[in-house]
Amino acid sequence: MERYAKITEKRKREIVLLRGRGCAYKKCAFCDYHLDMCRDDAENFNLNRSVLSNVDGKYGELEVINSGSVFELDSETLALIRKICREKHISTVHFEAHYMYGDKIQELREFFCGAQIKMKLGLETFDYALREGVLKKGIDEIEPDIIAKNFDEANFLFGIKGQTRDTMLYDIESGLSYFERICVNIMCKNSTGILPDSSVISEFINFVYPIYRENERVDILINNNDFGVGDITK
Ligand code: SF4
């Protein structure tokens, strides 16, 4: 599995896929991504140290993802990321977290003092019925400003039955109102029961994608089969 890459389009940054002790939520109906985990912190740290050794600070910006939330990484890994940021002059670090960790984010920002933290939420959609009734995201909140309160960026998931051109446009426009940047992921077939809907994906490709292809605030991952690094659109 590839765990390090440079993103050279749109917001240039290095990206690492680290391993943690596993997603504490694990209930998202579309996700089998949480299988990349290990209960042993020492083994995780050994792997993460090796992945992080690739980071050269070229863009002054680093994105850290793991199969779950940043709060499921071991403390030695977090300390090493902070050390690398200081040594390599990395001023901005992106992490992801589930909504349930909202109250812990300020603590993380303080731990990384000196570097700006950009926290990304796996929101998937503002449509409460789809998000909670079908996708089971575990965000029991309707108001966008409350949802966005602790977060700077958000992931959206398109290509699912029930979505339309208008709902996708609404999600993107709302996302851009409440977050600094958003990332649109297109549903790919995986081992879960949530299947990609080809007609919704066609609507996205033909009518939505052309509008945001050049937008610097929108990353679009169409074939997110590993961690999507190669697919961020121009
Ligand atoms: S999408 Fe994220 S929070 Fe949801 S089960 Fe997968 S890893 Fe966990």
Side-chain angles (χ1 to χ4, degrees):
M1 183 186 287
E2 192 186 352
R3 290 184 180 270
Y4 169 83
K6 284 186 169 75
I7 294 175
T8 57
E9 294 149 9
K10 294 196 173 174
R11 190 160 182 164
K12 292 182 172 55
R13 57 199 187 270
E14 292 173 271
I15 184 165
V16 286
L17 172 59
L18 303 184
R19 193 176 67 191
R21 62 184 72 96
C23 172
Y25 181 66
K26 274 201 223 72
K27 293 181 193 147
C28 300
F30 58 90
C31 173
D32 59 8
Y33 172 63
H34 54 74
L35 300 176
D36 181 35
M37 52 81 72
C38 173
R39 294 265 173 237
D40 187 325
D41 280 356
E43 279 191 35
N44 288 335
F45 177 62
N46 278 340
L47 173 71
N48 295 339
R49 183 172 47 194
S50 145
V51 176
L52 287 163
S53 69
N54 293 293
V55 173
D56 59 20
K58 180 171 183 187
Y59 302 120
E61 194 152 328
L62 175 66
E63 180 164 358
V64 176
I65 56 176
N66 57 291
S67 301
S69 302
V70 57
F71 300 102
E72 291 138 10
L73 292 174
D74 66 275
S75 55
E76 281 189 286
T77 292
L78 282 178
L80 180 58
I81 296 168
R82 182 173 67 175
K83 180 168 176 276
I84 289 170
C85 288
R86 289 175 179 167
E87 288 173 358
K88 311 272 184 190
H89 308 291
I90 292 170
S91 59
T92 304
V93 193
H94 304 253
F95 290 114
E96 295 186 354
H98 187 275
Y99 189 69
M100 67 185 178
Y101 288 113
D103 290 346
K104 295 189 73 173
I105 291 172
Q106 184 52 33
E107 205 179 303
L108 188 75
R109 293 189 199 279
E110 286 163 19
F111 179 76
F112 274 87
C113 73
Q116 245 192 336
I117 297 301
K118 298 294 181 189
M119 188 61 59
K120 190 190 276 184
L121 170 68
L123 176 60
E124 320 311 347
T125 175
F126 282 105
D127 178 338
Y128 185 90
L130 174 62
R131 190 182 70 229
E132 302 310 320
V134 178
L135 302 180
K136 312 286 184 200
K137 265 317 290 192
I139 303 176
D140 191 18
E141 180 56 62
I142 291 175
E143 296 302 326
D145 53 335
I146 297 177
I147 291 172
K149 192 175 118 201
N150 295 304
F151 295 87
D152 310 290
E153 304 176 341
N155 278 322
F156 288 83
L157 183 62
F158 293 168
I160 296 166
K161 189 174 173 197
Q163 291 178 313
T164 65
R165 189 189 313 182
D166 286 345
T167 68
M168 292 186 277
L169 288 169
Y170 176 81
D171 270 335
I172 292 179
E173 285 302 314
S174 303
L176 290 173
S177 301
Y178 288 96
F179 299 97
E180 292 173 20
R181 299 192 86 245
I182 63 169
C183 180
V184 173
N185 296 277
I186 303 302
M187 185 70 203
C188 292
K189 185 158 172 35
N190 61 19
S191 63
T192 72
I194 303 287
L195 298 173
D197 184 309
S198 57
S199 63
V200 177
I201 293 174
S202 293
E203 280 289 287
F204 176 81
I205 298 286
N206 293 324
F207 299 104
V208 181
Y209 173 64
I211 301 172
Y212 299 99
R213 184 170 42 205
E214 309 292 340
N215 191 316
E216 284 292 322
R217 294 173 61 208
V218 184
D219 287 335
I220 302 172
L221 307 182
I222 292 180
N223 293 304
N224 193 8
N225 49 11
D226 45 34
F227 59 117
V229 169
D231 296 313
I232 288 186
T233 57
K234 291 179 189 160

